[in-house]
């Protein structure tokens, strides 16, 4: 079991392996170790050289550091890993968790919004989070300034989960150190990146998908057009979760993002009762993590890599379309894509799309 | 033609005859005069005594007064009468109009809201009305305080219609006298009640149905729960028109009505472009006033009155249900209801329902 964890850490921390590839490798080879063993051959068949793999020593060091921090790993498809989150195609293979893991067993909603939200919006978010707690809902957010912090504060007594973009031991923004530490004690903090990781701009959308995927629905409180909160809302919608928004006057520029969300179909919410009503239908849903081991049914098709590569270009195309155009079996195409991926010759994109990597 | 107008005035001003009965009488008898001639017999067959009818002299006096006021009549199903309004089951049979009648030929939207609206909401309403004018839309409202007045002011240059609950020569609220007079000159004012009528509480819902029925859609700017503006919005929805609402913060009590409307399916609008987008599909609709003379096809059924009356009670029931339960022909049931109505033995309700009048 410890060996399996080390193998899983090695697999996901290897530079060329993202969550989608990880999931496909486990599905194809049954275990992280078998996948690691197979990777050099796969990459060669994909026309590249074997990628550098995260070493056992490096993985052991990360595991020891997590333990020393009083945190623990949650691994996709196993044990305490949140079942709703496991539904995402790009669910994080590993999460590092510190705090009260029982919060993962309770129904939750996300609340996100502007970092520079108005005082009124922050007060509203705090009260709403408090009232959602009284309704038995855990409130998840991103431990950012503004609305996120207010949401955590309001739900600290009843149950709150913070998902951070950096490592579990990194406090960002710095003024949230006390808040994050309070949540280690009385809430729960989740991180996808290894300890010590300073959050960078590209990490925030990854963090947002976890907030959206973990919860029954996402509430946006105040959001500028084209803000990260709207990305979280979009990801929630794409994952089939409720998208909720708190409206505001058209005279208030900070209300424009939420008002537009409502125009686009989000549920207008004004209070906890509205949120409860919106998420009620899915509150008892049984999550169905699609994470079973699929023993390879077809023989590997040596031609498939060539065929698939010829169908790819610089613009991302859906994998389903590649399968249809190739005329090959789905499993063979997926395998070819895996090989090309490990050979560093394709890029994966949101919505299960792939493109040829510029050489 | 003048005789026909006098007969129409007599018919609708007769105390026992409302818009629905008026419409059915004209449909059944082809003209107001034929209806007037038939009423005594109908009432007797309905088991009552002939109702008092407005006299020719009274009607002549009203017509003379309207002319002297520089106003004119619009009669349902004829000439300049607004075609969208004619679609209502309870369209006003007569309107008294003063101002620029060409405004009736242009697409219009209604804007309504709180009389005690915030200064910000009034400014917003004025700007929105102004911008709707630039988009070629006439703005209709109710010449009340607050949002209504702001909407008229914003659209005075481009085209605005005020629908008032009292007589065309009555200024209510008094401080709107100058505004109403300006609209006689540069806009249009419509009244359903005869000149000299002081508006009473029961007149306002009638006025609201005209605002909703006249226009392609109704925009609610600020509205308390259970306010007249929400009634107008509901009537617009029932008439198949667009219902639009301007959102606000849940912290602002005056936004609750609009936010609830949006939750119930109204289109959230923030600016003139949103309104134009919402009403665009119906902008070119061809109104179909259902106001044709239907010569009586069936023999009058002497039993029908007894049957229909036995099916009625103190609770309003839909006319369609009466027809179904009676087993009689639709025309015979309608005729029986008309007779009972003129005999003062039933009450008509919204949604084409009827009940027995308590004796």
């Amino acid at each position: 079991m410890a060996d399996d964890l080390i193998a899983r850490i090695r697999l996901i921390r290897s530079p060329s392996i993202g969550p989608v590839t990880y999931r496909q490798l486990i599905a194809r080879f049954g275990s992280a170790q078998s996948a690691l063993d197979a990777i050099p051959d796969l990459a060669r068949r994909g026309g590249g050289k074997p990628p550098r793999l995260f070493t056992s020593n490096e993985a052991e060091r990360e595991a020891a550091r997590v333990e020393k921090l009083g945190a623990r790993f949650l691994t996709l498809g196993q044990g305490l890993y949140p079942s709703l989150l496991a539904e995402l195609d790009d669910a994080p293979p590993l999460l590092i968790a510190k705090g009260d893991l029982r919060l993962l067993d309770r129904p939750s909603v996300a609340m996100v919004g502007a970092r520079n939200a108005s005082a009124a919006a922050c007060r509203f978010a705090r009260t709403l989070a408090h009232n959602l707690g009284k309704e038995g809902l855990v409130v998840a957010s991103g431990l950012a300034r503004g609305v996120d912090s207010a949401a955590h504060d309001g739900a600290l007594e009843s149950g709150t989960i913070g998902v951070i973009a950096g490592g579990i031991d990194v406090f960002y923004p710095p003024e949230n150190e006390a808040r994050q530490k309070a949540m280690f004690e009385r809430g729960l903090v989740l991180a996808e990146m290894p300890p010590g990781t300073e959050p960078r701009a590209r990490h925030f959308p990854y963090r947002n998908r976890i907030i959206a995927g973990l919860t029954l629905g996402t509430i946006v409180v105040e959001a500028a057009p084209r803000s990260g909160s709207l990305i979280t809302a979009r990801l929630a919608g794409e994952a089939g979760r409720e998208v909720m928004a708190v409206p505001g006057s058209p005279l208030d520029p900070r209300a424009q993002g939420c008002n537009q969300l409502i125009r686009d179909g989000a549920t207008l919410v004004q209070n906890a009762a509205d949120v409860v009503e919106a998420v009620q239908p899915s509150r008892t849903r049984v999550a169905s993590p699609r994470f079973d081991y699929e023993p390879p049914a077809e023989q590997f098709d040596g031609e498939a890599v060539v065929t698939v590569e010829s169908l790819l270009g610089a613009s991302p195309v859906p994998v389903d379309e590649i399968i249809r155009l190739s005329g090959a079996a789905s499993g063979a195409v997926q395998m070819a894509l895996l090989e090309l991926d490990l050979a560093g010759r394709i890029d994966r994109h949101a919505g299960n799309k792939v493109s040829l990597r510029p050489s």
Side-chain angles (χ1 to χ4, degrees), chain A:
Chain A
M1 186 62 187
D3 285 353
D4 180 53
L5 176 61
I6 297 302
R8 285 174 185 267
I9 297 171
R10 289 188 63 199
L11 195 56
I12 191 56
R13 301 291 185 233
S14 291
S16 60
I17 296 173
V20 173
T21 306
Y22 175 99
R23 176 164 226 152
Q24 292 186 341
L25 284 167
I26 298 278
R28 180 62 65 171
F29 296 101
S31 75
Q33 188 56 56
S34 304
L36 289 165
D37 295 343
I39 284 172
D41 264 4
L42 292 173
R44 270 190 290 271
R45 282 219 297 267
K49 38 180 198 178
R52 185 183 95 69
L53 297 177
F54 205 63
T55 67
S56 295
N57 273 349
E58 290 172 308
E60 298 275 6
R61 273 203 300 279
E62 178 172 334
R65 185 166 178 185
V66 166
E67 192 178 350
K68 194 168 164 207
L69 287 167
R72 57 163 293 176
F73 287 98
L74 303 174
T75 53
L76 175 59
Q78 298 187 312
L80 293 169
Y81 192 95
S83 54
L84 281 174
L85 183 59
E87 290 186 357
L88 300 189
D89 285 330
D90 59 351
L94 281 187
L95 286 172
I96 296 166
K98 184 168 179 181
D100 183 355
L101 292 165
R102 292 170 304 176
L103 294 174
L104 295 172
D105 288 334
R106 289 172 44 196
S108 61
V109 292
M111 194 187 306
V112 297
R115 287 189 300 278
N116 63 344
S118 63
C122 288
R123 198 171 57 243
F124 179 85
R126 195 162 52 240
T127 305
L128 179 58
H130 180 78
N131 292 338
L132 289 170
K134 287 203 243 173
E135 299 284 348
L137 289 166
V138 170
V139 177
S141 192
L143 259 164
R145 290 189 186 93
V147 168
D148 286 24
S149 291
H152 291 306
D153 291 352
L156 188 59
E157 297 298 327
S158 49
T160 187
I161 300 175
V163 185
I164 57 178
I168 195 80
D169 55 344
V170 174
F171 303 103
Y172 180 87
E175 69 263 33
N176 265 356
E177 180 169 345
R179 185 173 280 111
Q180 187 167 326
K181 284 180 172 168
M183 287 172 65
F184 288 155
E185 297 302 318
R186 299 158 72 193
L188 178 67
V189 182
L190 300 176
E192 182 178 13
M193 297 296 140
T197 308
E198 292 291 335
R200 292 173 187 281
R202 67 187 158 84
H203 292 142
F204 289 93
Y206 301 156
R207 188 268 312 258
N208 293 344
R209 91 186 191 287
I210 300 175
I211 296 174
L214 192 64
T215 51
L216 295 168
T218 292
I219 306 158
V220 186
V221 173
E222 243 186 19
R226 287 175 299 282
S227 64
S229 304
L230 296 187
I231 292 173
T232 308
R234 180 172 59 72
L235 294 169
E238 286 173 3
R241 314 302 166 80
E242 277 298 317
V243 181
M244 295 161 278
V246 177
S249 163
L251 297 169
D252 179 355
R254 284 175 291 202
Q256 281 175 15
C258 284
N259 288 348
Q260 187 60 44
L261 271 182
I262 295 166
R263 279 180 59 78
D264 293 344
T267 301
L268 184 156
V269 295
Q270 299 191 89
N271 48 50
D274 290 348
V275 174
V276 168
E277 183 187 328
V279 301
Q280 199 60 48
S282 43
R283 196 156 166 170
T284 55
R285 70 189 271 182
V286 176
S288 50
R290 293 160 299 162
F291 197 65
D292 299 317
Y293 172 47
E294 300 165 12
E298 311 90 4
Q299 286 295 82
F300 292 155
D301 177 352
E303 293 297 301
V305 170
V306 179
T307 308
V308 167
E309 193 173 4
S310 72
L311 292 169
L312 292 169
S315 305
V317 279
V319 169
D320 286 349
E321 196 173 320
I322 302 289
I323 292 170
R324 194 171 51 74
L325 291 172
S326 71
S330 164
V333 172
Q334 296 282 10
M335 198 65 199
L337 288 169
L338 198 50
E339 291 165 2
L340 289 165
D341 192 353
L342 292 166
R345 290 171 60 196
I346 62 169
D347 288 314
R348 294 194 181 267
H349 307 270
N352 203 18
K353 293 180 182 177
V354 289
S355 68
L356 220 48
R357 185 175 297 176
S359 52

